[in-house]
Amino acid sequence: MEAVYRTCAQTGLKVHNHAERLIRANAVAGVVSILFGGIAAVLVLLTRWPAVHLLDPASFYRALTFHGINMLIFWIIFFEIAVLYFAGPIVLGSRLAWPRIGWVSFVLMVAGTLLINIAILQGKADVMFTSYAPMQAASYFYLGWILFAVGALVAVCNFFASLVVAKAERTYTGSIPLVTFGAATAGIIAVVTLAHGAIIYIPTWLWSLGIIEKIDPGIYRLIWWGLGHSSQQINVTAMVSIWYLLATLTVGATPINEKVCRSAFLLYILFINLASAHHLLVDPQLSPAWKIWNTSYGMYLAVLASMIHGMTVPASVEVAQRKKGLTKGLFEWLAKAPWGNPGFAALALSLSLFGFIGGITGVTFGAEQINIISHNTLRITGHFHATVVAGTTIAFMGLTYYVVPLIFRRHLISTKLATAQIYLFGIGMTIFIGGMTTAGSYAIPRRHWDVQFATSLFQPPVEAAAFAFLGIMGVGGLFALAGGALYVLITVGSVLFGRRVPDTPGAVPLAAMPQDKGQHVPIKGTTVLVLVFLASFIIYYFLNWKWLAAIWIVK
Amino acid sequence: MSLQTLQGVWWKKVDASEKMWIGIALVWCLILFAMMPLWHLKGGQNPSFETYRTTPEQFLKKVEAFVAAGPKAGEEKGLPVIAPDPKTEVYMLGRLWQWYPTLKLKKGETYRLHLSSMDLVHGFSLFPLNLNFMVLPGYEYVLTITPTTTGEVFVVCNEFCGIGHHQMVGKITVE
Ligand code: HEM
Ligand SMILES: [Cu+2]
Ligand SMILES: [Cu+2]
């Protein structure tokens, strides 16, 4: 396949045609997935809202399986592959190493997606996205996972091969940019993750065909979560890279210290793959020592990494803004930030919601003992809607509003609407998460059709407050769904009907880099913000120990 | 900027405010870590690691022997209510879609509760107390529990176990 390049008039980047087309294809597949997942979310939300209780049990469990897989796996991973193709070949001005293989991997992923979705919709895989053995789905469901994982693995290898090509063909000099570095970190974690996927799904597939007799449920859970949780670390790493990217595109920020940022990314690789323990803390088959070491990723050094990024990203924004003369007081730089730019709105919401809600709840519920009062309740689903939805998904949405003009070369049909979309989704999600997590602290279970227990042998009384919080979850969820629908509309509408972006520099407004006069710029505002964060963290963490101490004694 | 390559020697000294934050964050991480072993030493709620390999058949036999031995405190909704003596071995099994049997315990007394599953993975969740453990087939999990409240608590299954998952509710009464 012939390599053809164009030079982007907006960024000056050299764009390889196959890389660009593959970015488009993967982004489209991602948006289709979030549409599917979103339709299922409407049904799931309206069923878990006791006042509505829409679906029958079978349809609910089916819709929930469909929602989890299409959102968490398809939407996120297709988009991530698009990010890798951007951060590798395009940022480095090189070619995609293997264009044909790039398409093969895309086709594999699409085939896997179709097999899985067909299995679920046919009612042959009502097993949730975790499909805990010995619960069994039709064998083509597992085959779909294998195809998807192999496709994604090949795509990641293609990204790494492109880094090698760029180096060999000297398309750049010096060290790779931070965004590429972050993406490479995500890629390394992805390889480890997808290897777990192969280790668990190949035997499970053979078991579903009757070739292997038995799968140990304890070992299944251990290895499955090597895939399931580690893949969340790909999301975190990709999201943090996008934070740095959005900070550059929206306010012209430069990482304040490359050494610190890169070391923090390295900590992710070293420690984050241990986190499968988060899901196994109240399982019978593992020792406390194993649980403590692994749940803390070896003494929380990956949490340390996130706390470092949580400071360096806002600090880079503060420095850039102060260099532009916004130096009054602690927060002029923040007050006068481009809040009307959807990219910046997404950066700010993603960073703060991920940190304040997702991060704090995640570390707290992941403490071995506190997990006793959170495992499999709605506290957990609340937590991860704060990480992978309010964090990762909002970051992806913000980035989309740059992908459309720069890669699809269409103007957004309305930037104002795009900004409103981000706020609507972010605020709706915050209310939804607040309701869900709090309902969970009344022991309301996740993945449960009826918490009024109308058809069970015993009818446990449920506190009125728990129902009230489920109602709050429902209302917030509706706002978030409206925001999500708007995202799909704006994206599809702009790609199909947006004005063409002309090849004149400045047609897409990108932030100018502030003048660097070598002056020392203080980061007082950021320091205050991170200290507020730490205080919230400490309070929430110890409150949970207090709640834990109030339940029965168990050992 | 984050999209540019870096030339020459790009690592520079870490700023004082950054150093301070990294230091504080590291200390906090170590506190987070220390809390878990500390709670094992001093705290009242810790996941047990008393686990035995079993099979559904073996475990069913044990549960049946436990129910037969009693002392039986009546029947509720077709399920035996067992009121075991404090400090003894107590059994409960999970199966599609039932917790068997129901129990009557005494506040402040300690029991060794053995849990396992006859079929799929189930979630043992004391409701509305909010105490959660996993129940896997093939593993006999022993929780040493001391009820500290009186009244009825329910055992809700909180791991998806098929179409009747939401119906799987058992009961423990504490006097
Ligand atoms: C407007 C958006 C959304 C709404 C209203 C929503 C709502 C819900 C609800 C009500 C549940 C069911 C909880 C339960 O019964 O256990 C759920 C589960 C879930 N959601 Fe979402 N969600 C949204 C977006 C997303 C996105 C964007 C992702 C991923 C990127 C996501 C990932 C998941 C996952 C993984 C589950 C768990 C499925 C399972 O337990 O098997 N959701 N969501
Ligand atoms: Cu169950
Ligand atoms: Cu269940």
Side-chain angles (χ1 to χ4, degrees):
Chain A
M1 286 188 184
E2 200 191 344
V4 181
Y5 296 90
R6 70 176 173 94
T7 301
C8 173
Q10 315 304 325
T11 57
L13 291 172
K14 211 171 121 199
V15 180
H16 175 213
N17 60 343
H18 286 292
E20 182 169 57
R21 277 182 218 151
L22 274 163
I23 292 177
R24 289 185 190 173
N26 280 282
V28 168
V31 172
V32 171
S33 307
I34 200 178
L35 174 63
F36 286 175
I39 293 170
V42 178
L43 304 172
V44 170
L45 179 79
L46 292 181
T47 308
R48 293 248 36 187
W49 185 351
V52 185
H53 209 220
L54 181 70
L55 299 179
D56 60 279
S59 316
F60 169 72
Y61 293 125
R62 198 160 300 161
L64 185 53
T65 306
F66 192 79
H67 172 68
I69 293 188
N70 277 278
M71 289 301 203
L72 189 67
I73 312 296
F74 303 151
W75 147 247
I76 296 282
I77 295 185
F78 275 121
F79 204 95
E80 271 162 2
I81 300 295
V83 169
L84 287 186
Y85 289 151
F86 168 77
I90 297 206
V91 171
L92 297 180
S94 107
R95 62 188 171 83
L96 184 69
W98 311 313
R100 192 162 288 139
I101 290 183
W103 288 105
V104 170
S105 64
F106 179 71
V107 169
L108 280 174
M109 287 170 69
V110 171
T113 305
L114 289 177
L115 273 183
I116 291 175
N117 277 341
I118 290 171
I120 298 172
L121 293 176
Q122 286 184 331
K124 294 283 168 56
D126 295 335
V127 291
M128 304 293 142
F129 73 95
T130 44
S131 58
Y132 291 135
M135 183 177 272
Q136 201 177 57
S139 66
Y140 59 97
F141 173 78
Y142 303 107
L143 183 64
W145 275 92
I146 295 171
L147 294 182
F148 188 86
V150 170
L153 189 59
V154 173
V156 176
C157 294
N158 207 348
F159 160 76
F160 282 117
S162 306
L163 296 190
V164 174
V165 164
K167 181 102 195 153
E169 297 178 358
R170 291 171 203 272
T171 64
Y172 68 97
T173 56
S175 307
I176 55 174
L178 184 61
V179 166
T180 312
F181 189 87
T185 320
I188 292 172
I189 301 174
V191 171
V192 180
T193 300
L194 294 164
H196 279 100
I199 296 174
I200 194 63
Y201 273 109
I202 291 173
T204 308
W205 177 51
L206 296 176
W207 167 69
S208 70
L209 290 171
I211 298 171
I212 291 181
E213 200 177 322
K214 197 174 165 230
I215 299 274
D216 181 275
I219 295 172
Y220 179 93
R221 282 170 59 76
L222 176 64
I223 304 189
W224 197 91
W225 281 110
L227 162 76
H229 204 96
S230 309
S231 67
Q232 302 322 306
Q233 320 305 350
I234 312 174
N235 305 342
V236 171
T237 313
M239 171 186 72
V240 172
S241 309
I242 292 173
W243 289 347
Y244 284 111
L245 178 58
L246 286 175
T248 294
L249 296 174
T250 58
V251 297
T254 302
I256 52 169
N257 191 314
E258 292 273 358
K259 184 169 70 180
V260 172
C261 301
R262 287 172 197 235
S263 310
F265 273 123
L266 286 180
L267 285 179
Y268 279 151
I269 305 188
L270 293 181
F271 293 106
I272 221 157
N273 276 301
L274 305 171
S276 71
H278 286 185
H279 304 263
L280 311 170
L281 292 173
V282 294
D283 270 34
Q285 73 276 28
L286 300 157
S287 75
W290 186 92
K291 288 174 179 174
I292 290 177
W293 177 257
N294 287 287
T295 195
S296 68
Y297 324 91
M299 310 220 269
Y300 289 105
L301 292 182
V303 172
L304 179 66
S306 291
M307 288 176 77
I308 293 174
H309 291 303
M311 159 179 237
T312 55
V313 173
S316 71
V317 172
E318 177 168 5
V319 169
Q321 293 283 85
R322 282 183 186 268
K323 280 185 180 166
K324 292 178 195 158
L326 301 166
T327 53
K328 241 190 275 145
L330 280 177
F331 291 120
E332 195 195 8
W333 62 275
L334 190 59
K336 299 213 171 127
W339 293 100
N341 174 337
F344 186 81
L347 167 62
L349 284 180
S350 168
L351 175 66
S352 48
L353 295 178
F354 179 87
F356 275 91
I357 311 183
I360 291 179
T361 55
V363 174
T364 304
F365 302 164
E368 189 203 5
Q369 296 89 346
I370 293 175
N371 198 252
I372 297 174
I373 56 167
S374 21
H375 182 74
N376 271 359
T377 68
L378 283 184
R379 299 186 98 185
I380 301 299
T381 33
H383 150 70
F384 66 68
H385 280 82
T387 53
V388 80
V389 188
T392 310
T393 297
I394 291 185
F396 287 2
M397 286 172 165
L399 186 62
T400 306
Y401 297 138
Y402 282 97
V403 172
V404 170
L406 295 176
I407 298 287
F408 288 88
R409 287 194 274 165
R410 298 286 187 152
H411 280 295
L412 295 179
I413 43 180
S414 162
T415 310
K416 276 216 179 79
L417 202 59
T419 310
Q421 183 274 316
I422 298 285
Y423 288 116
L424 183 61
F425 188 80
I427 293 169
M429 217 58 224
T430 308
I431 300 170
F432 168 85
I433 293 163
M436 192 178 226
T437 312
T438 317
S441 50
Y442 290 89
I444 299 291
R446 69 183 287 195
R447 298 178 162 176
H448 199 281
W449 176 68
D450 182 22
V451 292
Q452 310 190 62
F453 303 103
T455 57
S456 57
L457 195 58
F458 299 101
Q459 276 73 43
V462 182
E463 277 187 62
F467 285 126
F469 284 110
L470 288 172
I472 293 174
M473 171 188 93
V475 173
L478 286 184
F479 282 112
L481 284 167
L486 211 49
Y487 167 74
V488 176
L489 276 179
I490 296 170
T491 306
V492 175
S494 305
V495 167
L496 295 179
F497 307 112
R499 277 183 302 119
R500 232 170 251 291
V501 173
D503 276 339
T504 44
V508 180
L510 299 177
M513 295 297 128
Q515 289 268 309
D516 188 2
K517 305 191 197 83
Q519 76 272 44
H520 181 82
V521 183
I523 46 171
K524 287 183 264 177
T526 301
T527 309
V528 172
L529 293 179
V530 292
L531 291 176
V532 170
F533 168 77
L534 184 67
S536 326
F537 200 162
I538 294 173
I539 293 170
Y540 188 75
Y541 184 71
F542 283 110
L543 260 182
N544 271 275
W545 286 104
K546 188 170 160 252
W547 293 332
L548 175 70
I551 65 166
W552 290 6
I553 295 169
V554 57
K555 56 185 196 292
Chain B
M1 66 186 235
S2 58
L3 283 174
Q4 244 158 15
T5 54
L6 301 174
Q7 305 299 332
V9 182
W10 47 263
W11 48 93
K12 54 179 189 189
K13 267 189 46 204
V14 181
D15 198 75
S17 46
E18 275 173 88
K19 264 199 192 135
M20 182 195 72
W21 175 245
I22 296 173
I24 295 177
L26 181 62
V27 171
W28 175 236
C29 288
L30 294 176
I31 295 174
L32 292 173
F33 184 68
M35 274 308 286
M36 294 185 286
L38 261 180
W39 201 266
H40 270 282
L41 293 175
K42 300 275 178 198
Q45 297 78 16
N46 288 289
S48 142
F49 185 44
E50 197 183 335
T51 302
Y52 305 96
R53 282 281 182 181
T54 184
T55 63
E57 299 74 35
Q58 279 171 7
F59 193 74
L60 182 62
K61 276 206 193 107
K62 289 188 181 180
V63 177
E64 280 171 346
F66 165 71
V67 171
K72 207 168 160 190
E75 217 168 85
E76 195 178 357
K77 310 225 169 161
L79 293 179
V81 183
I82 308 298
D85 293 331
K87 302 199 178 57
T88 57
E89 312 295 313
V90 177
Y91 290 83
M92 186 182 277
L93 63 77
R95 64 184 163 208
L96 304 175
W97 288 285
Q98 182 189 62
W99 295 103
Y100 177 89
T102 62
L103 300 173
K104 199 169 210 172
L105 306 179
K106 288 206 174 67
K107 183 182 165 183
E109 297 289 353
T110 300
Y111 303 85
R112 286 168 45 79
L113 176 62
H114 298 237
L115 296 168
S116 190
S117 162
M118 295 295 102
D119 33 58
L120 304 180
V121 176
H122 299 284
F124 175 90
S125 174
L126 289 186
F127 188 95
L129 194 66
N130 207 4
L131 177 151
N132 308 286
F133 285 94
M134 294 302 290
V135 178
L136 272 53
Y139 294 85
E140 181 172 339
Y141 201 7
V142 188
L143 305 177
T144 305
I145 57 165
T146 312
T148 54
T149 56
T150 54
E152 296 180 333
V153 290
F154 295 86
V155 187
V156 168
C157 178
N158 71 358
E159 184 51 77
F160 174 68
C161 54
I163 185 74
H165 159 59
H166 48 275
Q167 297 173 331
M168 186 166 165
V169 180
K171 188 170 163 187
I172 298 178
T173 312
V174 185
E175 306 190 308

